[in-house]
Amino acid sequence: MELDTHTAEASVEGAPKGPPPAVMVRGVIKSFGTGDTKVTVLKGIDLDVRMGELLLLVGESGGGKTTLLSVIAGILDIDEGQLDVLGVPLPHLPGGKKTKFRGQTMGFIFQQFNLLPTLTAVENVAVPLLIHGTPKKEALHRARTMLETVGLGDRTEFVPAKLSGGQQQRVAIARALVSEPRLLICDEPTAALDGENGQKIMAILRDVGRSPERAVIVVTHDSRIFRFGDRIAELTDGRIVSVRGVPKTPPGELTGPTVGGGAPSASTESPS
Amino acid sequence: MSYVALKMLFGDRAKYLMLLCGLTFCVMLIVQQGSIFWGLMIWSQSGISNLNAPIWVTDPNISQVAEVKPIASTTVERVRSVPGVEWAVPLYRGVGRARLANGEYHQITLMGLDASTLIGRPGHMQEGRIEDLRTPDAVVVDQWAVERMGGPEAIKVGTIFEINDKKARVVGIAHVQKDFQNIPSVYATFERATTYAPPERRLLSYVLAKARDNEPVEAVTRRIAEQTGLGAFTQEEFGWKTILWVLKNTGIGINFGTTILLGFIVGMAIAGQTFYLFTVENLKQFGALKAMGASTFALARMIILQAFTVGLIGFGVGIGLATLFGTLAASRGQLPFSETWPLLWLVFGSLLAICIFSATISIIKLAKLEPAIVFR
């Protein structure tokens, strides 16, 4: 069993031996509200996400996973700390440039797919390209190719309502990947799917989404998909409590309890 | 992104149709009511436009064409002596009663034209010749007289009736613009008309005049007023004077204005609310577009394109329906309906205001939208 154990602390303190991390989070604090109603959701997060890896971000509901994801995506601004995404200090970018940077470098997969209901599958996939000014004909061609890659070559002209949940999420994956992002951000991509479809989606993410030039962050509650990750970072009460490697076992052998109900069956090391 | 915006708009058929119906209703209502209003205003000054005289000389205190205030019979010569006047002729206008052979009475507007020139004659004759007015007892009636006084069987060329116990013989039927009060007109020569009229000290109602070709009509009109001390107006001025009198004294402007305003408000409310709902229900999708890198400006452009596309389609359909209504309902001249370019531009401006309002409230919502909504 190959084991890759890292703690957030170790990543921070260890000298960088390879390429810079895709995402570097240092002491990030994020609060909502003011005065008596102020709630600090992220309480000093340290985390690295490497190029080429698929990091699973797990933890209890309300622990700050979605907020951390929004912060990494540049959708929410941080209060304190350092946040570098693909080597760019994201908090220092002005709003418009941040939006542009996000569009050019990141892909998103959402829990509820968020496909445009009146657009066909191929048109939905083409949307990120159209946003960035790719000519419609070229955008649709690239979208069609991407749909074939995720196994939906025969569903290109279907509107989302005519597709199953699994097929809709595959369209969403194709949409996230079509602009060849270097950071893929997935928010509970299997939550709206049954177990079998969830496994298929993760297999597609692992096979199609991963590449040496891309990092993938997946927020999930679903322990059945842990085996698809390289590392698992557990976020509880606004803090990273552990970052652990996932043993490389043959698919189907590794299952574990749902996050929050106990630790997955992998070696762990808590940050000091 | 225009492609995506239009697909979003047309793809949600229920909302698109509701939006379209709201805007179409608004446009149709404003155009229809506006056209009827303007048609009525045209009718109100048909007593001027039907005579087609460039200059009208009147009593100085005249209010409108139907409110006749007789002037001295010497006025014709005084007007003729004003420099720049090419010709001036007398006109009688009065209210009379026609008694038909069957004993029925009908109120009429009696018009007396200068016998030698017949200036002020109707522009188009349906039957007969206007020149036959010069024959004994001859009168010409308009098509509304035929309609209101018993139909073609009762009033036709050759029919004889009485005005103030004096014989009148129909020698022709004229086709003229309907009168605001819906009273039929009977044309005779000036001299004969004064015999039909009740005895009065003054029987000259108006003097119709024309400026010489090289003289500006406005300047000659002012000169006539200065030199005679009477009222003098160009045809357009007298028409507007009459329209303003009707607006001021009948409340018709307030009635139609209220309807038009209501149409505008209802259209704005329907379109604004539907469009806002359309945006709110697509908020997550817009959030996803923002997360994927679409700027607020790009989304605003999408909203504006959607608003103006449906607005223009609603404008076209609304105008079409209103025109169809006008063509069908007003084809026989029974309903005043005048669809004019200024009205269409006004409606277009109103529609733009509705579209801008609808788009603005949606854009404000989108500007405040946090793309983080997609992660919830």
Side-chain angles (χ1 to χ4, degrees), chain B residues 132-284:
Chain B
D132 290 343
L133 275 183
R134 296 182 184 118
T135 60
D137 304 325
V139 294
V140 166
V141 297
D142 64 15
Q143 79 272 34
W144 311 114
V146 176
E147 188 182 291
R148 295 210 59 190
M149 291 165 69
E153 293 302 314
I155 298 290
K156 55 192 173 191
V157 173
T159 299
I160 292 174
F161 58 88
E162 291 178 357
I163 304 173
N164 207 12
D165 294 330
K166 295 183 179 66
K167 185 179 171 187
R169 181 172 51 89
V170 177
V171 295
I173 297 169
H175 184 91
V176 297
Q177 180 75 54
K178 198 173 193 174
D179 179 66
F180 182 60
Q181 294 167 308
N182 202 16
I183 298 174
S185 296
V186 175
Y187 295 84
T189 59
F190 181 83
E191 289 74 17
R192 185 166 304 114
T194 55
T195 64
Y196 289 142
E200 285 185 88
R201 191 167 67 85
R202 290 177 167 182
L203 287 166
L204 178 62
S205 307
Y206 300 105
V207 174
L208 306 181
K210 181 181 179 294
R212 291 187 194 282
D213 286 345
N214 57 351
E215 295 271 359
V217 65
E218 290 82 7
V220 173
T221 305
R222 299 290 88 80
R223 204 177 298 147
I224 293 170
E226 285 165 13
Q227 294 194 10
T228 63
L230 295 167
F233 308 95
T234 64
Q235 180 175 336
E236 194 177 43
E237 286 169 351
F238 200 31
W240 276 110
K241 191 175 179 66
T242 299
I243 286 174
L244 292 174
W245 184 90
V246 170
L247 283 177
K248 187 178 171 185
N249 291 277
T250 63
I252 199 170
I254 293 172
N255 286 343
F256 277 90
T258 305
T259 308
I260 290 169
L261 186 67
L262 281 178
F264 179 74
I265 292 171
V266 169
M268 187 176 267
I270 293 176
Q273 189 179 6
T274 311
F275 206 76
Y276 183 70
L277 282 178
F278 180 77
T279 305
V280 167
E281 288 182 13
N282 283 303
L283 220 48
K284 274 216 154 192

Side-chain angles (χ1 to χ4, degrees), chain A residues 66 69-70 73 75-76 99-100 102-104 106 108-120 123-124 127-128 130-132 136 140 175 185-187, chain B residues 1 3-13 278 282 284-296 298-299 301-302 370-376:
Chain A
T66 298
L69 212 56
S70 300
I75 289 170
L76 290 178
T99 302
K100 194 172 181 185
R102 186 167 63 234
Q104 287 173 340
M106 300 182 202
F108 294 89
I109 298 170
F110 310 106
Q111 182 178 340
Q112 296 298 333
F113 321 135
N114 288 325
L115 300 173
L116 294 168
T118 55
L119 267 58
T120 62
E123 288 164 344
N124 264 293
V127 163
L130 295 171
I131 287 174
H132 298 293
K136 184 181 149 199
L140 290 174
R175 181 179 67 180
I185 292 177
C186 314
D187 182 35
Chain B
M1 292 299 284
Y3 174 70
V4 175
L6 294 178
K7 287 281 286 194
M8 285 176 78
L9 174 68
F10 296 128
D12 194 341
R13 290 217 179 127
F278 180 77
N282 283 303
K284 274 216 154 192
Q285 281 73 32
F286 281 119
L289 292 176
K290 259 193 165 179
M292 285 188 276
S295 63
T296 301
L299 296 183
R301 276 195 319 194
M302 288 175 69
E370 282 284 351
I373 189 176
V374 291
F375 291 131
R376 288 171 200 145

Side-chain angles (χ1 to χ4, degrees), chain A residues 25-252:
Chain A
V25 185
R26 296 286 180 273
V28 163
I29 295 173
K30 174 66 185 173
S31 303
F32 294 99
T34 55
D36 293 342
T37 59
K38 184 174 180 178
V39 177
T40 303
V41 180
L42 302 181
K43 301 170 179 171
I45 299 286
D46 293 322
L47 180 69
D48 281 351
V49 184
R50 303 168 196 151
M51 274 297 182
E53 83 167 338
L54 193 158
L55 178 86
L56 297 171
L57 193 57
V58 302
E60 295 168 341
S61 291
K65 301 187 299 293
T66 298
T67 302
L68 179 57
L69 212 56
S70 300
V71 160
I72 291 172
I75 289 170
L76 290 178
D77 292 329
I78 59 174
D79 298 335
E80 287 179 41
Q82 184 186 349
L83 170 65
D84 286 5
V85 176
L86 303 168
V88 174
L90 212 51
H92 297 157
L93 283 183
K97 284 190 176 173
K98 201 182 290 180
T99 302
K100 194 172 181 185
F101 175 76
R102 186 167 63 234
Q104 287 173 340
T105 59
M106 300 182 202
F108 294 89
I109 298 170
F110 310 106
Q111 182 178 340
Q112 296 298 333
F113 321 135
N114 288 325
L115 300 173
L116 294 168
T118 55
L119 267 58
T120 62
V122 68
E123 288 164 344
N124 264 293
V125 174
V127 163
L129 299 173
L130 295 171
I131 287 174
H132 298 293
T134 307
K136 184 181 149 199
K137 192 175 175 184
E138 184 192 336
L140 290 174
H141 174 71
R142 283 170 61 182
R144 203 163 275 119
T145 305
M146 187 51 72
L147 277 174
E148 284 166 7
T149 307
V150 298
L152 285 178
D154 58 342
R155 296 283 190 278
T156 55
E157 302 306 323
F158 283 47
V159 291
K162 301 281 183 189
L163 298 171
S164 69
Q167 288 171 333
Q168 287 188 50
Q169 195 58 300
R170 278 148 76 184
V171 173
I173 291 174
R175 181 179 67 180
L177 293 174
V178 72
S179 54
E180 299 175 355
R182 295 177 64 204
L183 179 61
L184 192 57
I185 292 177
C186 314
D187 182 35
E188 307 258 14
T190 61
L193 305 174
D194 58 38
E196 187 184 346
N197 269 312
Q199 300 279 319
K200 283 181 184 171
I201 289 300
M202 286 308 295
I204 291 171
L205 270 181
R206 181 192 60 198
D207 298 339
V208 181
R210 275 173 75 180
S211 86
E213 287 79 35
R214 180 181 295 140
V216 182
I217 305 174
V218 178
V219 164
T220 185
H221 276 102
D222 187 355
S223 61
R224 291 170 300 186
I225 65 168
F226 284 180
R227 65 190 173 88
F228 292 97
D230 296 311
R231 289 189 302 153
I232 299 173
E234 187 166 354
L235 185 64
T236 300
D237 193 26
R239 292 185 175 87
I240 298 286
V241 294
S242 73
V243 180
R244 54 192 175 271
V246 176
K248 300 300 175 198
T249 55

